[in-house]
Amino acid sequence: MTNITANNDRAVVYQMEQQPQQSSKDSKDSTKKIEAKKQDHHLPDEKWTPYLFFCISSIALASFQDGFQIGCINAPGPLIIEWIKQCHFELFGEILSQYQADFIWSVAVSMFSVGGMFGSFCSGFLADRFGRKSTLLYNNILALIAAMCLSTSKLFNFYPMIVFGRFLVGLNCGITSGLVPMYLTELAPANLRGKSGSFHQLNISVAIVLSQALGLPFIFGSHEGWPYIFACVAIPTFLQLATIPFCVESPKYLISKLNDREEARRVLEKLRGHTKVDEELEHMVQETMVTAEPMHQPGYMSLFKGENQWPMIVSILMMFSQQFSGISAVTFYSTLIFKRNGLSGNEPMYATVGFGCIKLIATFGCLGLIDHPRFGRKRLQIAGLSGMCVSSILIVITLTLSNAGFRWASYLNILFILSFVVTFAFGPGPIPWFFTSELFDSSTRGRAAAVSATSNWIANWMVGLTFLPINNIIHQYAFLMFTFSTFSFAIFTWKFVPETKGKTPSAIRKELTFMKKRMCS
């Protein structure tokens, strides 16, 4: 009996000792819930200010460099291959076969994606370590070195400079792809995040068209002129170097990484054009408090554990939906596709430039829809993927009829390729790039953006590497791969991707958790 009484006394004492700890834990949990509820409160709508537009435009110049390097290799490719054969003979006294010269050029082109993988993976660390603004500023050094290598390779008659220059370009653009969408959406108010984030894809589209136009025969598309195409990328680089010092650092970075609220307030007042920024500032502070890691900075592996796991998977799959939609295949091999459709001479190049112009117009159209009350990220993504799915089927049908001798089918084929590109511009083009910024909070956004961008580059490399060999085996039926992938990603988006427009990361996380439970059940 004495032992039982003693045990009961110890149990009572233990409960009394644990009660304050439990109470403290409950208090912390309730505090976090209150803070999360504060985050869910929708902030008042803001308007564009001249300074906000200036900052967004300056930052997006880095995206212009990205698009320029994507499009500039299309037209001068055959000319560069001929120069490689000549240069190799003069350097080594050996005549390259067409296959060997094509392989060297393919290596040079693919080095862009290889550099992009490394650059995008480092972008999160650099953005968190040195800040969004400083990283973007010094990233231009890589662009200038790459432009010098590419544009002077013919002058020095040394084609390995092309390969090295393409790697540096990829490194530069990889950092850009992870950094710029995040920087753009962190500067913008919640109601303008969509339009601000779309500046990344818009500048890429503008640069692709311009670089393709510079490759036309009467401009720089000649044996003497093609090095000038690569030199032209220095123009937006110098322009950004001149303007980015006048831009502000991300206010979310100032709070979450530097804990500098006063500077964040000053930045917000400058961006918004007024002093009533207390609510938005408090919103950022509360987000940082809820998501802060007191003991250590979250690493890359933490993105695939706990509450970050599902948002990271969704973000990666959104990036895959962009590249596995097949847009890279059309972008890289548009001239070849048009030649197989019966166009001859310079017509394929003019068609490629026309294509880029239509895509650019469609991207402008998307700017008006992406923050529209009746539309949202999710609807546009599903609509874009669905349009690409139907277009890819019609491309296969018309190519089959064209190969069977029906001339009229080749013109319809061009029309359906056009619809393929336009529907991409309205959905999978701009949306995945800034989706990560809306899924993740300030403490993990940099690393999450880096992982997402890296997955985009890997998918881009896979499509660019495999499409042409597969197309040579099964011909037009290669587009059925994109039919399957766009259909699958459209269903995934419909079932498991939340609408993020105007919502805070905490509100989006709640919807993601619900969707994940629905999938598991």
Side-chain angles (χ1 to χ4, degrees), residues 16 63 99 137 205 481 490 492:
M16 292 177 66
S63 306
Y99 173 80
L137 177 66
S205 299
M481 297 187 303
F492 173 81

Side-chain angles (χ1 to χ4, degrees), residues 309-360:
Q309 183 184 54
W310 185 238
M312 193 71 256
I313 292 173
V314 170
S315 183
I316 290 173
L317 289 176
M318 290 290 285
M319 288 297 186
F320 280 176
S321 74
Q322 183 188 79
Q323 292 302 330
F324 290 133
S325 68
I327 192 63
S328 295
V330 174
T331 303
F332 292 156
Y333 305 112
S334 59
T335 304
L336 177 62
I337 293 172
F338 286 131
K339 282 183 177 179
R340 291 181 176 179
N341 272 321
L343 299 182
S344 58
N346 292 328
E347 290 177 348
M349 286 186 285
Y350 290 118
T352 296
V353 174
F355 234 30
C357 292
I358 297 297
K359 182 185 174 185
L360 178 59

